[in-house]
Amino acid sequence: MRLSHHYVIPHIATGDMLRAAVKARTPLGREAHAYMDAGELIPDEIVLAMVGERLDQDDIRTRGFVLDGFPRTVAQAQGLDELLKPSELDLAINIDVPTEVVLRRIASRRVCVDCGTIYSTEQRPAVDWICDLCGGEVVQREDDTEEAIRRRLVLYESETAPLIDWYKGSGKLVEIQGVGSPDAVFDQMVLEIDSRRQAGGFGPPMGVEEGGA
Ligand code: AMP
């Protein structure tokens, strides 16, 4: 989210899109709900169709995009390559965080149901779990149960971690240590992106995939 504000480009977060569909009770939302609550991945073809529709919109063509939480499988990465042709992704960012830190962060995570801003039990909104930015209610995510978190971590290892080698192979991977403060992690990402941009590694418009353990 911060990257898209910094570079003023659209933020495409598949988790946020799916949660919005669940909330609006669309056919996609009704299908996705049970998968999400159980910590399962939504089938690749459903996610690819959703992302493909978003990538077709005009703002993406003129400004580029930051993908967040997508791709999560090698099949999704292959599907993304097809969707982007003849353009290409500029880079993929892996934010590396040890499992015990991930677990601690998820346990304390709270999110705004309206705009998705993330808080924690340590960094609360100023007033009674009301979002500082939009006034929405700030809650624990429905899928942040112990069982669903455990399942998500198993799927991360088997389905998502192989993407590290996939993007390393294409020379697009940037690895960031994600254990510092949010500001320190963000500054590292901007440094890496800007150095690659200045070296002429980006085609217009800019496209970045951001993800982490
Ligand atoms: P997130 O907000 O990124 O943690 O995603 C929340 C949930 O949405 C995940 O646990 C999955 O059930 C589903 N989801 C989000 N992105 C994807 C994706 N790229 N592929 C499959 N399922 C996804």
Side-chain angles (χ1 to χ4, degrees):
M1 182 73 94
R2 279 180 72 178
L3 277 186
S4 82
H5 285 166
H6 182 82
Y7 291 106
V8 198
I9 53 178
H11 178 230
I12 305 177
T14 44
D16 288 350
M17 292 166 86
L18 290 162
R19 274 184 291 280
V22 169
K23 200 170 165 199
R25 296 178 201 277
T26 64
L28 167 67
R30 278 198 286 270
E31 190 166 0
H33 199 175
Y35 287 104
M36 294 172 80
D37 276 357
E40 298 292 337
L41 291 174
I42 311 303
D44 292 330
E45 58 278 13
I46 296 180
V47 181
L48 276 164
M50 180 179 83
V51 171
E53 221 172 88
R54 180 66 187 92
L55 289 175
D56 251 357
Q57 289 167 10
D58 286 344
D59 58 335
I60 302 295
R61 280 199 211 101
T62 50
R63 300 217 52 84
F65 53 86
V66 182
L67 288 164
D68 180 353
F70 174 92
R72 260 176 158 95
T73 65
V74 170
Q76 290 181 14
Q78 287 167 329
L80 176 63
D81 282 352
E82 290 301 315
L83 288 171
L84 293 178
K85 271 180 184 168
S87 300
E88 279 185 21
L89 207 64
D90 291 318
L91 59 90
I93 303 175
N94 178 43
I95 304 170
D96 191 17
V97 185
T99 305
E100 67 274 13
V101 178
V102 172
L103 287 172
R104 222 181 307 132
R105 286 184 184 169
I106 293 177
S108 67
R109 173 167 67 184
R110 301 292 182 269
V111 295
C112 171
V113 293
D114 289 334
C115 72
T117 297
I118 297 176
Y119 298 88
S120 77
T121 48
E122 287 85 45
Q123 283 182 316
R124 301 167 176 228
V127 181
D128 279 352
W129 301 110
I130 306 282
C131 180
D132 292 338
L133 300 185
C134 78
E137 193 187 357
V138 175
V139 300
Q140 185 159 30
R141 262 170 52 168
E142 266 183 37
D143 61 344
D144 278 349
T145 61
E146 208 183 311
E147 207 175 326
I149 292 167
R150 214 176 300 129
R151 182 66 186 146
R152 292 210 300 271
L153 289 174
V154 166
L155 287 172
Y156 172 79
E157 290 303 332
S158 64
E159 304 296 322
T160 307
L163 286 172
I164 295 174
D165 279 342
W166 167 271
Y167 282 118
K168 215 180 261 175
S170 62
K172 295 189 192 302
L173 188 72
V174 168
E175 305 227 47
I176 301 280
Q177 290 309 312
V179 277
S181 67
D183 283 347
V185 174
F186 176 71
D187 289 347
Q188 262 191 76
M189 284 201 280
V190 169
L191 213 72
E192 290 284 351
I193 292 169
D194 287 350
S195 69
R196 292 202 171 210
R197 270 181 118 182
Q198 278 150 18
F202 283 13
M206 178 178 154
V208 171
E209 194 271 327
E210 174 192 2

